[in-house]
Amino acid sequence: MIMGLNLLQFQPFLSLLLFNVNKMKIKNWLAQNLMMFTVLHTNQKLGLLCSVLEHGNLELAKPLFERLPEIYPFGVSRRIAMAVSNIIGYKIEPFYREKYSHYRDNSSFRMKESWERFTCLPQITKDWNSLFNDACNIAFQLGPYIGARHEVSIKLIRLLNLFYDDVEAQSLAERENFLNIIVDLCDSVLVPAASLLDSNFVYCEELWQILGRLPYQERYRIYHRWRTIHTQRCWELSLQRGKVWE
């Protein structure tokens, strides 16, 4: 009893409400996945691109990317975005284990099955230079869809944050250039990606560890570009903004 009311009286109404909510979620999920599989079956370039990426062959995928509009493949097929994110995850995993002191070995993490399908193993990240010159370049290409694999985006953010205080990184000749790359990643990839994540609390907490280091002028420049330039560049960001206004 709450405030003199018996909740059992509302059970039929609550059941109907939950049914409608779940029905809407299922409907949205089916619509998204139907579109994804339909696109891959009807568009030969996208289907081939997805297959190549899921086998870990990013080099073979580059000519296909050049024939498609920027970030278009990731917007129409989440499976393609996840495949690229898996490649980034494979590349940075050993370096992440080395640098992140709170790492806990977990042999059951979800990406392991995806990596076992690789027939062309991507080159792994061994140091800060390869992180910024290789893995980060792929992240730029993926854009706001870096969150297709939450764990990959969070690991990348943690590595970028560790760079600021890493002893080895202090003496790098390209340190200033790498710091600028971190800002550019926040601007065009990591901050806009927050709009496309269903559950982004941990992601935002980790991202703030980097943003909090930046001058407030730089942060607000990034926020402004997120709201304007990058929202216009990525149609899904516009959709998410529309949902907020609703």
Side-chain angles (χ1 to χ4, degrees), residues 106-125:
N106 181 8
S107 59
S108 64
F109 58 89
R110 290 181 294 173
M111 290 181 295
K112 185 178 179 181
E113 293 182 0
S114 301
W115 296 346
E116 289 175 348
R117 294 199 298 267
F118 284 174
T119 56
C120 179
L121 298 180
Q123 186 176 1
I124 63 172
T125 297

Side-chain angles (χ1 to χ4, degrees):
M1 298 285 290
I2 298 179
M3 297 180 63
L5 297 177
N6 189 345
L7 290 180
L8 292 177
Q9 297 175 354
F10 295 91
Q11 186 173 358
F13 170 75
L14 292 174
S15 299
L16 180 61
L17 180 62
L18 290 173
F19 173 77
N20 288 332
V21 170
N22 290 331
K23 184 178 179 181
M24 183 62 67
K25 288 182 178 179
I26 293 173
K27 185 177 180 181
N28 291 337
W29 184 88
L30 288 174
Q32 292 173 0
N33 283 273
L34 180 62
M35 175 184 176
M36 178 179 71
F37 289 114
T38 301
V39 166
L40 294 179
H41 282 296
T42 57
N43 189 312
Q44 292 183 347
K45 287 182 182 177
L46 291 177
L48 178 59
L49 178 63
C50 183
S51 177
V52 167
L53 290 170
E54 287 184 344
H55 282 79
N57 197 331
L58 193 60
E59 289 299 318
L60 192 58
K62 285 182 179 179
L64 295 171
F65 275 121
E66 293 172 357
R67 289 171 170 78
L68 295 167
E70 182 188 20
I71 72 174
Y72 164 76
F74 313 124
V76 297
S77 175
R78 182 176 177 83
R79 187 171 164 183
I80 294 178
M82 291 180 68
V84 176
S85 189
N86 283 335
I87 292 175
I88 296 176
Y90 181 88
K91 284 176 171 289
I92 68 174
E93 183 68 20
F95 193 56
Y96 175 78
R97 295 187 185 191
E98 175 188 340
K99 292 295 182 180
Y100 189 61
S101 60
H102 299 293
Y103 174 81
R104 290 183 295 178
D105 189 18
N106 181 8
S107 59
S108 64
F109 58 89
R110 290 181 294 173
M111 290 181 295
K112 185 178 179 181
E113 293 182 0
S114 301
W115 296 346
E116 289 175 348
R117 294 199 298 267
F118 284 174
T119 56
C120 179
L121 298 180
Q123 186 176 1
I124 63 172
T125 297
K126 297 181 179 179
D127 51 31
W128 292 114
N129 286 303
S130 57
L131 175 71
F132 286 100
N133 294 323
D134 184 16
C136 287
N137 286 337
I138 303 173
F140 276 119
Q141 186 176 20
L142 191 53
Y145 296 96
I146 187 74
R149 283 288 196 189
H150 291 196
E151 57 269 43
V152 173
S153 57
I154 290 173
K155 287 178 180 179
L156 179 60
I157 290 172
R158 286 173 177 169
L159 278 174
L160 296 177
N161 187 45
L162 287 170
F163 177 78
Y164 284 91
D165 302 318
D166 185 75
V167 176
E168 179 186 343
Q170 302 293 330
S171 58
L172 290 176
E174 294 188 71
R175 176 176 171 79
E176 289 302 319
N177 181 43
F178 291 160
L179 290 174
N180 290 332
I181 290 176
I182 293 176
V183 174
D184 291 341
L185 273 171
C186 290
D187 176 24
S188 61
V189 178
L190 301 175
V191 171
S195 296
L196 302 182
L197 296 176
D198 295 331
S199 178
N200 58 13
F201 176 76
V202 175
Y203 180 91
C204 292
E205 283 286 311
E206 296 289 346
L207 182 56
W208 175 250
Q209 300 302 314
I210 297 177
L211 294 176
R213 296 176 180 270
L214 305 179
Y216 79 91
Q217 298 95 332
E218 191 69 57
R219 287 203 304 272
Y220 279 89
R221 182 188 71 86
I222 291 174
Y223 298 154
H224 175 73
R225 287 169 58 83
W226 177 18
R227 185 167 56 90
T228 55
I229 294 174
H230 298 305
T231 297
Q232 296 171 6
R233 170 172 162 252
C234 178
W235 60 271
E236 274 202 76
L237 292 181
S238 298
L239 289 178
Q240 292 298 326
R241 186 180 183 186
K243 290 179 181 179
V244 173
W245 284 109
E246 288 178 0

